[in-house]
Amino acid sequence: MSNPPRSVVVVIPARYGSSRFPGKPLVMLNGKPMIQHVYERAVACRAVSDVLVATDDDRIKQAVEQFGGRVVMVTGNYRTGTDRVAAVARMFVGDVFVDLQGDEIPLNPRLLDDLIEPFVQSGAEMGTLKRMLDTTEELHNPAVVKVVTDSQGYALYFSRAPIPLVRDDPDRRVVGGLHYVHLGLYIYTKETLMKFAALPTSALENAEKLEQLRGLEHGIRIRVWETKHASLRVDQPEDVPLVAEKLQQFEVVKREVGFMGFKGVVSSR
């Protein structure tokens, strides 16, 4: 007898008070707030049972309700987006929870399939995605998080530093198949999510300001799958014009090739 399907809930944490970019979820990109772009792509993913925006701000709540999205208010002093997702998981039924950061826009909903489908089949506790790095500039950009995995696909380390370091290359160039960017989404069983949120902030997490290091430092194995689908990330106000332009270009391509062609589109970050 086959196992019953598992319910998968995507939670999009969206804070208004970002220190680097206040109000970022509401920044307009081609006539829509950024949070709407993220939400619509999550809803379009065939493997998802439910999508919720978790926010602590009435302005974001109203914006989500205006475009017909589901939103839950999560107030309190939470350390990270994952801790907010855990707060939502205590209120809603679900077997698996996805933390999709509100400033990471998947261009194609299949990016989420690349995470959810293998995770549900794998029996892993926690998972995430990586994509091959394209440029040496990204490799050395501390806003671009890099990941190194073992031979079974489990994370060895995440860092803002250019890892792994190729000792014999004085130019420190990006190497295809060796250097990968870590994408801003995580997937957990509900049990592991509750366990993760109960852990103290780790020294590595505090040093790199990367919440996933809390899991590694406390012995939670993180399975990493590769995707070739693109996403766009907004870190600071200067990113907005370029992201808006790339979104517009992608929409044009999607219309020209049709829906079936859209499903197969692969582009770089």
Side-chain angles (χ1 to χ4, degrees):
M1 182 181 294
S2 61
N3 293 325
R6 307 181 78 184
S7 58
V8 178
V9 180
V10 173
V11 182
I12 307 170
R15 290 177 59 244
Y16 190 91
S18 167
S19 58
R20 287 186 299 174
F21 193 170
K24 181 163 58 171
L26 300 182
V27 67
M28 298 302 289
L29 297 168
N30 303 333
K32 295 180 183 179
M34 181 168 63
I35 190 66
Q36 184 173 353
H37 287 281
V38 180
Y39 187 94
E40 288 176 347
R41 283 158 173 80
V43 168
C45 175
R46 61 192 177 190
V48 169
S49 309
D50 201 0
V51 180
L52 298 161
V53 174
T55 188
D56 58 356
D57 191 273
D58 284 331
R59 289 162 290 190
I60 295 174
K61 178 176 182 291
Q62 291 171 11
V64 174
E65 290 174 340
Q66 279 186 336
F67 66 72
R70 297 189 67 200
V71 60
V72 57
M73 292 293 286
V74 180
T75 57
N77 187 23
Y78 295 100
R79 293 171 290 177
T80 66
T82 297
D83 295 294
R84 291 181 180 83
V85 174
V88 173
R90 295 185 187 101
M91 295 184 270
F92 290 86
V93 174
D95 301 313
V96 173
F97 284 81
V98 177
D99 172 4
L100 174 58
Q101 295 181 25
D103 56 3
E104 185 88 38
I105 306 172
L107 283 179
N108 191 318
R110 279 196 172 182
L111 182 146
L112 291 167
D113 289 329
D114 288 346
L115 176 65
I116 295 168
E117 291 179 354
F119 178 83
V120 169
Q121 297 166 10
S122 70
E125 294 180 282
M126 177 178 174
T128 191
L129 288 178
K130 67 179 181 180
R131 187 172 57 240
M132 198 177 298
L133 272 171
D134 293 322
T135 68
T136 297
E137 181 184 3
E138 287 180 307
L139 178 64
H140 293 276
N141 183 351
V144 177
V145 178
K146 277 66 69 174
V147 60
V148 176
T149 57
D150 68 13
S151 60
Q152 295 179 299
Y154 285 92
L156 291 171
Y157 195 63
F158 301 85
S159 183
R160 298 184 182 278
I163 60 170
L165 178 71
V166 181
R167 189 195 66 175
D168 295 333
D169 179 9
D171 296 323
R172 306 288 190 255
R173 293 164 294 188
V174 70
V175 178
L178 186 66
H179 294 120
Y180 289 88
V181 58
H182 169 238
L183 305 190
L185 68 166
Y186 307 95
I187 189 166
Y188 306 82
T189 63
K190 187 169 186 175
E191 179 183 3
T192 301
L193 177 58
M194 296 298 105
K195 174 182 174 183
F196 185 97
L199 292 170
T201 301
S202 73
L204 293 175
E205 175 187 10
N206 193 49
E208 294 249 23
K209 298 297 185 283
L210 296 175
E211 61 194 284
Q212 62 270 37
L213 293 176
R214 186 192 319 170
L216 287 186
E217 199 165 354
H218 288 95
I220 296 175
R221 300 187 76 195
I222 303 175
R223 183 72 166 81
V224 184
W225 288 276
E226 183 177 356
T227 184
K228 290 182 169 57
H229 292 295
S231 62
L232 298 172
R233 187 171 180 86
V234 178
D235 287 309
Q236 49 198 354
E238 303 89 271
D239 299 331
V240 172
L242 181 58
V243 169
E245 181 183 354
K246 287 186 175 180
L247 276 172
Q248 189 171 34
Q249 290 171 352
F250 190 78
E251 290 300 320
V252 169
V253 171
K254 186 173 71 171
R255 286 194 297 270
E256 288 179 351
V257 302
F259 185 68
M260 292 306 293
F262 163 60
K263 283 188 173 183
V265 169
V266 176
S267 66
S268 62
R269 178 176 175 140

